[in-house]
Amino acid sequence: PQFSPTQVPTFQPTTGNPTIRPTQYEVMFQIGSNWKIAQMTDSIHSHLSISAKNGQTPMIFREDGTTHSGPRSNFNAWTSNPDKSDSPPKFGNKAVEIDQWRIRQHDSIHLTITHSSGNVTRIFRSDGTVFGRVQLYNGYKRALGEAACAFMTEEYLQLGDWRLGRVDCCHFSVSHIGGYTARVYNVDGTIQPGRFGTEYNAWNLPTGDVLQGSDKC
């Protein structure tokens, strides 16, 4: 399952009755059997990482708008605990909010990753090119909205015309329905630049059952 709630409430000792804290949720999605997208915070920065089960982290998006590519092993959601929140990730209108981060289809051409501070760390374009740090594409300029055209299956996260998916045992890709794949993240921690056609395209994956969100558009 893509959400990992801690099912047992925690208690804080008091002199009177114990205080029941809200259920805590890990701030992450698991996609397929070996990939996670997770919020992970250190003493300075909030990060959104794409990590593989073998311990490699191909990509880290940081709240200041910078990106940090692998191979690397830090901020890996399989070997370290993701952040926790009182609420699980939320689906919106062609968007998903992972605590301090939003991944959103900005329009029919662009998919963006934005921190709640307003910094845009990555822009994927339907022609397979990638950009970053252009504030015009801030995913927080519009309300999240009700869940529509935004959902999870076992193998991919779909947001409008985009899929982020596990295309095989060794690759995770960001693909547009028009045919281009903008990025491929490899299980060895490296990255392949985009403009792939049918190769590594997450739209070649079978339509799966909706686990979370809504496929109604």
Side-chain angles (χ1 to χ4, degrees), residues 42-205:
D42 60 16
S43 59
I44 303 174
H45 295 291
S46 173
H47 308 82
L48 190 71
S49 70
I50 298 175
S51 55
K53 191 174 184 178
N54 66 353
Q56 289 290 339
T57 307
M59 177 54 70
I60 299 168
F61 307 101
R62 201 166 74 181
E63 66 177 37
D64 60 2
T66 60
T67 59
H68 305 269
S69 58
R72 61 196 306 143
S73 58
N74 58 339
F75 300 107
N76 186 290
W78 295 91
T79 59
S80 301
N81 293 325
D83 292 353
K84 291 188 177 182
S85 172
D86 291 347
S87 60
K90 303 172 185 176
F91 287 90
N93 188 351
K94 301 177 184 177
V96 67
E97 185 170 279
I98 309 173
D99 198 32
Q100 299 176 25
W101 293 85
R102 278 189 189 175
I103 308 174
R104 157 166 261 159
Q105 177 171 296
H106 179 80
D107 53 34
S108 62
I109 297 174
H110 302 93
L111 180 79
T112 68
I113 299 178
T114 310
H115 185 259
S116 57
S117 63
N119 288 321
V120 181
T121 62
R122 185 55 80 216
I123 302 164
F124 303 96
R125 200 164 71 181
S126 60
D127 63 358
T129 55
V130 175
F131 306 90
R133 309 189 76 171
V134 181
Q135 298 307 106
L136 176 66
Y137 296 96
N138 186 329
Y140 284 84
K141 284 189 173 181
R142 303 193 305 271
L144 185 64
E146 296 296 321
C149 298
F151 61 94
M152 276 283 303
T153 73
E154 189 70 29
E155 300 293 343
Y156 60 82
L157 168 65
Q158 183 170 324
L159 303 172
D161 296 325
W162 291 86
R163 281 186 182 176
L164 296 80
R166 172 197 174 277
V167 291
D168 57 34
C169 66
C170 302
H171 303 95
F172 180 86
S173 74
V174 181
S175 307
H176 188 264
I177 195 172
Y180 281 109
T181 294
R183 271 293 184 269
V184 178
Y185 301 100
N186 303 322
V187 74
D188 64 1
T190 58
I191 297 171
Q192 298 184 57
R195 292 191 66 79
F196 289 99
T198 57
E199 190 177 11
Y200 304 121
N201 195 300
W203 286 90
N204 294 329
L205 293 167

